[in-house]
Amino acid sequence: KAGVTQTPRYLIKTRGQQVTLSCSPISGHRSVSWYQQTPGQGLQFLFEYFSETQRNKGNFPGRFSGRQFSNSRSEMNVSTLELGDSALYLCASSGQGVTVHTEAFFGQGTRLTVV
Amino acid sequence: GIQVEQSPPDLILQEGANSTLRCNFSDSVNNLQWFHQNPWGQLINLFYIPSGTKQNGRLSATTVATERYSLLYISSSQTTDSGVYFCAVESNSNYQLIWGAGTKLIIKP
């Protein structure tokens, strides 16, 4: 069973540009969550998508957006990049039990550097 | 919202030592997971343990849901155990994982 795939693995962008990151979840998983991790910090929750709908959203500015497609693949977009957006962006996929998520699995992350 | 506290924040041990990492949470939760983040940033699942005890090789975990804590035990530490260990719980009110700040473990040869 393939794991969670994030592309690209590394990215260098210039301030003011925009970027799109992709996440393909484990087959059968319908929930995809995105996190930002800056050096030495914990994981900051960006948003979660379930069956193409944004179900939860963290405290990030509107420059951060996402979407989920019918095959559960998800993309996140950051517009008007700032230096502070340099971080490791992690995607997690999980299944959906009767009332709770099943175990969450993470991709290897996309390391974004804004110069 | 739910608060998740991990202790200790940092731990430095010699190879071969044993360690116990703790995760306290402030409210009842749907589930709890332990992760290990390696130096390359990859988050690796260790345990999915809403309650009870599980073992996997040198690692084991116990969650006492009624007392709102979980423990991760690492025995006979190896240098490859170095990294940050995170605990994450799922809120009862939504499906969001709430994360602790992590325990940074350094195993010296």
Side-chain angles (χ1 to χ4, degrees):
Chain A
K1 198 173 187 181
V4 181
T5 304
Q6 289 188 246
T7 56
R9 290 288 311 282
Y10 303 93
L11 206 48
I12 300 175
K13 288 285 190 178
T14 303
R15 266 185 305 173
Q17 287 187 311
Q18 74 161 14
V19 67
T20 299
L21 312 182
S22 178
C23 174
S24 292
I26 291 171
S27 177
H29 283 187
R30 292 192 291 164
S31 170
V32 174
S33 298
W34 289 90
Y35 295 86
Q36 181 196 65
Q37 188 178 34
T38 48
Q41 299 300 309
L43 278 74
Q44 302 299 314
F45 174 72
L46 282 156
F47 27 67
E48 184 216 0
Y49 286 86
F50 179 78
S51 292
E52 303 179 65
T53 300
Q54 187 181 85
R55 186 159 64 176
N56 284 302
K57 189 177 190 306
N59 295 322
F60 277 80
R63 300 185 297 106
F64 292 81
S65 63
R67 58 178 175 169
Q68 186 179 34
F69 302 94
S70 59
N71 62 358
S72 293
R73 189 177 72 86
S74 177
E75 290 181 346
M76 69 162 281
N77 186 77
V78 187
S79 62
T80 319
L81 284 166
E82 300 177 359
L83 295 179
D85 296 332
S86 295
L88 178 66
Y89 290 87
L90 291 159
C91 159
S93 87
S94 61
Q96 179 70 50
V98 174
T99 57
V100 303
H101 277 143
T102 60
E103 190 172 1
F105 292 88
F106 280 81
Q108 291 183 293
T110 294
R111 198 169 293 276
L112 171 65
T113 302
V114 182
V115 297
Chain B
I2 295 177
Q3 304 297 315
V4 180
E5 293 182 357
Q6 290 188 243
S7 60
D10 299 280
L11 191 55
I12 302 174
L13 298 171
Q14 289 295 133
E15 202 168 21
N18 301 328
S19 58
T20 301
L21 282 57
R22 187 177 181 101
C23 172
N24 292 334
F25 43 97
S26 60
D27 204 347
S28 56
V29 297
N30 287 334
N31 63 58
L32 184 146
Q33 288 188 239
W34 283 97
F35 295 90
H36 173 217
Q37 188 168 38
N38 65 24
W40 296 272
Q42 173 77 50
L43 274 164
I44 299 162
N45 294 50
L46 296 177
F47 295 101
Y48 174 79
I49 184 166
S51 63
T53 298
K54 290 186 177 180
Q55 179 152 10
N56 184 3
R58 296 182 295 103
L59 274 62
S60 64
T62 294
T63 296
V64 184
T66 53
E67 297 186 22
R68 298 178 186 167
Y69 73 89
S70 183
L71 301 173
L72 177 69
Y73 305 96
I74 304 173
S75 64
S76 304
S77 298
Q78 301 175 358
T79 55
T80 50
D81 294 330
S82 297
V84 182
Y85 289 80
F86 288 103
C87 158
V89 303
E90 180 178 294
S91 164
N92 272 337
S93 60
N94 59 35
Y95 297 102
Q96 189 175 328
L97 278 179
I98 311 298
W99 293 77
T103 292
K104 184 175 181 179
L105 177 64
I106 296 174
I107 304 297
K108 293 187 170 183

